[in-house]
Amino acid sequence: MTAFQGIRPASKRQRGWRQWRRRDATTAYVFTLPTILLLAAFSLGPALYAFFLSGVSWNLLNRMHWVGAANYVTLFHLPLFWTAVKNSVVFAAVVMPVQTVIAMGFAVLMNQHLPARPLYRLAFFFPSISSSAVTSLMFMWIFNKLGLLNGFLGGIGIAGPNWIGNPHFALSAIMILNIWSTSGYFMVVFLAGLQAIPQSMYEAAAIDGASGFKRFLKITVPLLRPSTFFIVVMGLIGTLQMFDQSFIISGGTGGPLNSTLTIALLIYQQIFSYGQVGLGAAATVFLFVLVLGSTILVNRWLGKPIEY
Amino acid sequence: MRRIRPVTMLAATALSAGALAGCGVASTTSPPGASGKPVTIVVASWAGTNVTNGIIKQQLAAFNKAHPHIHAVYRPISGNYQTILKTEFAAGDAPDIITLNNGGQAPLFESQGAVIPLNRYITQSHYSLSGFFSGAINMFKAGNTVYGLPRDQSPLVLYYNPAMFKKAGISGPPTTWAQLQSDAQKLTQASKKIYGIAQTPQEPRWAQFIYQAGGSVMNASMTKMTLNTPAALKGFSYFVHLYRAGIAVQPSQVGATWGGQALGMGHAAMTFEGAWAIPYLQDTYPNTPFAIATLPSGPVSNQSLDFPTAWAITKDSAHPSQAWQVIQYLSGTGEARWVEQGGLVTVRKSLVNMPYYQSHPIYKNILAQLPHAVPWNFPNGFSQYVSSTLSNVSLLAVEGRVSPAAALQQLQRQGVSILKSGSGQ
């Protein structure tokens, strides 16, 4: 707003304009002040505090003292930490692409003139507005050794595993739950993106003799890129931070045998269960760097504007 | 939520209610004696059991009637009890009175000065500690310093389904290791998903076998790991062998979360649990018959594990002497009322003969097991070891991925290194 200052003496009229602008900005800040304060106190402040905590030794009950980078050294030598990182990265690497593809597929289907379309939309969207605590409990029952899924598998002659009790399957079970519960929300985002694609493009392509699949591949997918970008970023952040479903399904332990221990769950355990606040905060900073780094990478890949 | 028993409470309630509990109203206490207004004392414990949901509240109501100058309020903590308490201590706003749990929680709060020594009050009011079971009171002492007055306890006992025993032609519950194994063998019908024993392979459910073989997890003063003895190996190998032979299973393999549930569902003929399983089984599975026996004897004894809890006063309490009056009542007169209302097992030796226990014979063998039970405790610094290392390593052994000897070696080594680092936390 002060970009023109000093280039030439301001005329009376311009001074008035500037004053008006300044008043305008003040008003804007006054109106956003409550939100700014809330964000600073409960979001930005604690986030910065986490950086500070990563340099202290504190167990919540004693006096904290500064230890510098020692927490990071301990953390990077902790095998459990790398297990958590591996679980989180594998989780994100499987869930994010799958939920994106499923969401896109369903969005395209839902965009057709199918009978009972609102009903399907509701059915697909419903999981994402349900509490994740509730859906986790539901899936614990479905994944029970003698539960719904294994009953169904048994019906077609497959002996189902002990999904939640077996370290080889526990994380997969949570992946399935997570894909199921988030695809619906992203489907709606894709649907909005689909509405924004001009119908004339499809008509032109149809006249040129492009098949339905080709139209999908050459028009729908590229033109959905802004939506895809949003979904990939949100999906990546959400999956790398996954906590609630692991916490509930493993009863807070990250078990069996740490197979469902994610970075976020490790942070919780270190800070609240084991009284290693500094170590947990260091893992928090690591998670922040991981999320920031992957978001920047995705931005390079998908964040470009669409060129027709 | 007691750590010593599997998560019977749904973690979901833990999550949501935990958030709510965080918003609890702080105890607004007035200065003692000022303007005749009663002093408020906040008493906290975990939520979710019949003791902590109803009985404490009734006791405090009776206390308040008899003590008009003190107003004791019960605040159950839903969710992860220890975690929420720690955050309240960090905020300098802990309740006046808290419940100390077994399994290493008491030494944590004691060593950090979160709970205050009670010796001064004990001397002042000529309070006698000799009426308590020694295991229960010793768990909350550090040297000569007393940090807590025992509230309740329960040893592990053998729960069994008498109908299944009868059908298999077994006349009574096993009394030796050999019988336990052969009975479990007869009772197992893997094709029907019925097993002799269903039990989580977590440490407070297998350490008793080590004691029964004459071994121990740590020495009595908790300064040395003792898992590297032949006796410890004998006990642990016996336990692991039950699973390897297919006559014991993890509850999750029959769709249950803990042994008591597997027994109630009819998938297990036997399990090892404490008195907390009685109201659970009666309420949740009224159609499954169950009976309780003392533990079968190993080569040396039929030693069990005991899980006492205690009342303690926090450093944040503004009125410790009033708080002392409350816990004095709860562990004295209140204790008797508490037995009458069907809590866990009493910590007072004299109350073992209460009429309630005569009219409720289901408690008979639990009381009989009490003299043969080791309190389950760990020194400060063992939080992670107790909550994950022990159960992870025993799970590996039960699944046959490491030998019992290698598992114990690993546990011994990790325990030693925690002791060496001097309480880690």
Side-chain angles (χ1 to χ4, degrees):
Chain A
M1 108 187 148
T2 52
F4 298 110
Q5 227 165 9
I7 291 175
R8 55 182 177 179
S11 69
K12 206 172 170 187
R13 192 176 154 166
Q14 273 173 327
R15 219 171 19 245
W17 167 245
R18 270 219 310 276
Q19 251 168 18
W20 186 81
R21 281 292 298 265
R22 204 173 297 139
R23 231 186 8 247
D24 202 28
T26 316
T27 318
Y29 278 117
V30 168
F31 274 116
T32 48
L33 192 66
T35 312
I36 290 175
L37 282 181
L38 281 175
L39 278 177
F42 295 108
S43 199
L44 192 64
L48 292 175
Y49 190 52
F51 280 90
F52 164 72
L53 282 180
S54 73
V56 302
S57 166
W58 185 35
N59 73 359
L60 293 173
L61 296 177
N62 63 0
R63 278 190 110 81
M64 61 169 86
H65 62 97
W66 186 255
V67 294
N71 285 325
Y72 291 93
V73 177
T74 317
L75 186 70
F76 294 144
H77 286 96
L78 200 68
L80 203 60
F81 170 68
W82 295 111
T83 310
V85 171
K86 195 195 93 195
N87 286 341
S88 281
V89 169
V90 168
F91 185 82
V94 173
V95 172
M96 191 273 290
V98 173
Q99 76 190 6
T100 308
V101 168
I102 290 181
M104 191 186 282
F106 276 131
V108 171
L109 275 181
M110 287 302 106
N111 210 27
Q112 314 297 319
H113 295 283
L114 298 173
R117 198 165 55 156
L119 205 66
Y120 284 113
R121 278 188 184 173
L122 177 70
F124 292 134
F125 189 61
F126 192 70
S128 63
I129 52 166
S130 315
S131 145
S132 81
V134 174
T135 54
S136 298
L137 289 174
M138 249 168 64
F139 269 70
M140 275 173 85
W141 177 71
I142 292 173
F143 284 123
N144 188 313
K145 176 78 169 88
L146 308 178
L148 196 67
L149 179 61
N150 281 353
F152 174 74
L153 288 176
I156 54 172
I158 301 170
N162 185 358
W163 288 93
I164 292 163
N166 187 324
H168 298 297
F169 291 98
L171 193 64
S172 319
I174 298 178
M175 286 174 178
I176 295 172
L177 160 61
N178 199 292
I179 291 168
W180 174 82
S181 63
T182 48
S183 295
Y185 171 72
F186 291 141
M187 176 195 80
V188 173
V189 177
F190 271 132
L191 265 177
L194 284 174
Q195 314 282 321
I197 299 176
Q199 205 54 41
S200 54
M201 299 233 170
Y202 290 106
E203 285 161 9
I207 291 166
D208 289 345
S211 68
F213 182 67
K214 210 158 193 178
R215 269 177 280 163
F216 170 75
L217 219 56
K218 297 281 180 190
I219 299 174
T220 312
V221 174
L223 292 189
L224 270 181
R225 201 166 63 206
S227 309
T228 315
F229 172 59
F230 172 77
I231 285 162
V232 167
V233 168
M234 294 312 285
L236 208 55
I237 294 174
T239 49
L240 283 173
Q241 290 181 337
M242 195 272 288
F243 170 79
D244 41 4
Q245 290 152 350
S246 264
F247 182 86
I248 292 167
I249 286 185
S250 72
T253 63
L257 295 179
N258 301 320
S259 57
T260 60
L261 184 72
T262 60
I263 302 178
L265 186 55
L266 177 95
I267 293 168
Y268 172 86
Q269 285 186 350
Q270 290 297 336
I271 293 181
F272 295 111
S273 305
Y274 310 149
Q276 309 260 24
V277 177
L279 211 56
T284 311
V285 172
F286 177 87
L287 181 61
F288 167 74
V289 171
L290 183 67
V291 169
L292 184 70
S294 41
T295 308
I296 290 172
L297 280 182
V298 171
N299 187 30
R300 281 202 173 169
W301 173 44
L302 287 172
K304 294 167 287 188
I306 298 176
E307 292 157 14
Y308 290 97
Chain B
M1 201 159 60
R2 307 170 60 127
R3 164 140 37 82
I4 44 117
R5 61 182 238 204
V7 192
T8 53
M9 265 196 21
L10 301 174
T13 20
L15 258 192
S16 52
L20 288 176
C23 320
V25 183
S27 61
T28 44
T29 46
S30 56
S35 69
K37 251 176 83 186
V39 167
T40 302
I41 297 292
V42 179
V43 181
S45 185
W46 44 84
T49 70
N50 67 330
V51 172
T52 55
N53 281 354
I55 295 174
I56 295 173
K57 217 171 173 175
Q58 294 174 24
Q59 288 177 320
L60 291 182
F63 173 85
N64 287 340
K65 228 180 241 169
H67 300 76
H69 59 290
I70 301 175
H71 182 63
V73 195
Y74 179 47
R75 180 147 70 82
I77 295 182
S78 325
N80 194 331
Y81 174 73
Q82 197 181 335
T83 300
I84 292 167
L85 261 193
K86 275 192 203 166
T87 58
E88 290 183 354
F89 273 114
D93 186 31
D96 298 88
I97 297 172
I98 60 169
T99 315
L100 291 179
N101 207 343
N102 44 67
Q105 195 191 89
L108 168 70
F109 285 119
E110 290 164 10
S111 66
Q112 303 298 323
V115 291
I116 61 171
L118 301 176
N119 297 50
R120 189 156 66 92
Y121 302 102
I122 291 171
T123 323
Q124 268 171 15
S125 48
H126 306 289
Y127 188 86
S128 168
L129 300 177
S130 59
F132 292 114
F133 279 96
S134 58
I137 183 75
N138 287 342
M139 179 175 265
F140 305 102
K141 270 162 100 174
N144 287 323
T145 312
V146 181
Y147 286 101
L149 294 188
R151 182 185 93 185
D152 59 50
Q153 62 180 341
S154 178
L156 286 183
V157 283
L158 178 74
Y159 280 70
Y160 66 99
N161 183 329
M164 284 188 183
F165 270 63
K166 208 170 164 193
K167 228 168 107 190
I170 307 169
S171 55
T175 56
T176 63
W177 278 11
Q179 279 178 22
L180 176 65
Q181 192 171 341
S182 67
D183 289 354
Q185 186 85 56
K186 284 181 211 156
L187 290 158
T188 299
Q189 293 171 275
S191 58
K192 289 188 187 167
K193 294 260 169 219
I194 295 173
Y195 295 90
I197 301 165
Q199 188 66 74
T200 43
Q202 62 185 135
E203 66 293 347
R205 299 293 179 280
W206 55 250
Q208 76 269 22
F209 290 101
I210 289 180
Y211 287 96
Q212 287 163 11
S216 58
V217 177
M218 292 179 110
N219 64 349
S221 55
M222 300 196 298
T223 51
K224 254 176 79 180
M225 293 299 300
T226 51
L227 283 172
N228 57 350
T229 61
L233 181 59
K234 195 179 213 175
F236 188 62
S237 301
Y238 174 79
F239 173 79
V240 170
H241 178 72
L242 294 173
Y243 289 82
R244 301 307 302 151
I247 55 180
V249 288
Q250 297 179 47
S252 68
Q253 280 165 300
V254 292
T257 53
W258 61 298
Q261 192 188 3
L263 187 87
M265 289 163 79
H267 285 297
M270 292 181 274
T271 190
F272 306 103
E273 288 295 342
W276 50 81
I278 296 176
Y280 170 82
L281 286 170
Q282 286 169 342
D283 296 346
T284 320
Y285 297 102
N287 299 322
T288 307
F290 73 95
I292 292 175
T294 50
L295 294 184
S297 290
V300 173
S301 68
N302 78 333
Q303 205 66 251
S304 178
L305 305 174
D306 187 27
F307 304 101
T309 66
W311 298 113
I313 302 175
T314 64
K315 67 167 172 56
D316 292 350
S317 174
H319 310 291
S321 53
Q322 280 85 349
W324 164 254
Q325 278 183 275
V326 177
I327 63 171
Q328 202 182 347
Y329 174 86
L330 289 175
S331 57
T333 328
E335 183 72 13
R337 294 177 61 91
W338 176 84
V339 172
E340 283 165 353
Q341 288 154 5
L344 294 171
V345 183
T346 183
V347 285
R348 284 201 171 270
K349 289 182 268 188
S350 60
L351 296 184
V352 165
N353 299 317
M354 286 273 293
Y356 178 85
Y357 289 132
Q358 313 295 330
S359 58
H360 292 75
I362 190 79
Y363 284 94
K364 187 179 148 233
N365 282 326
I366 299 183
L367 295 170
Q369 183 73 58
L370 263 184
H372 316 283
V374 189
W376 184 243
N377 203 12
F378 280 92
N380 185 29
F382 274 72
S383 303
Q384 185 165 6
Y385 187 80
V386 172
S387 64
S388 92
T389 311
L390 275 168
S391 37
N392 276 351
V393 174
S394 51
L395 181 62
L396 285 176
V398 158
E399 289 190 342
R401 293 205 248 165
V402 297
S403 70
L408 282 190
Q409 258 169 31
Q410 197 179 335
L411 290 175
Q412 170 79 14
R413 205 174 48 237
Q414 295 200 22
V416 166
S417 84
I418 297 172
L419 285 174
K420 224 182 251 161
S421 71
S423 93
Q425 305 185 15

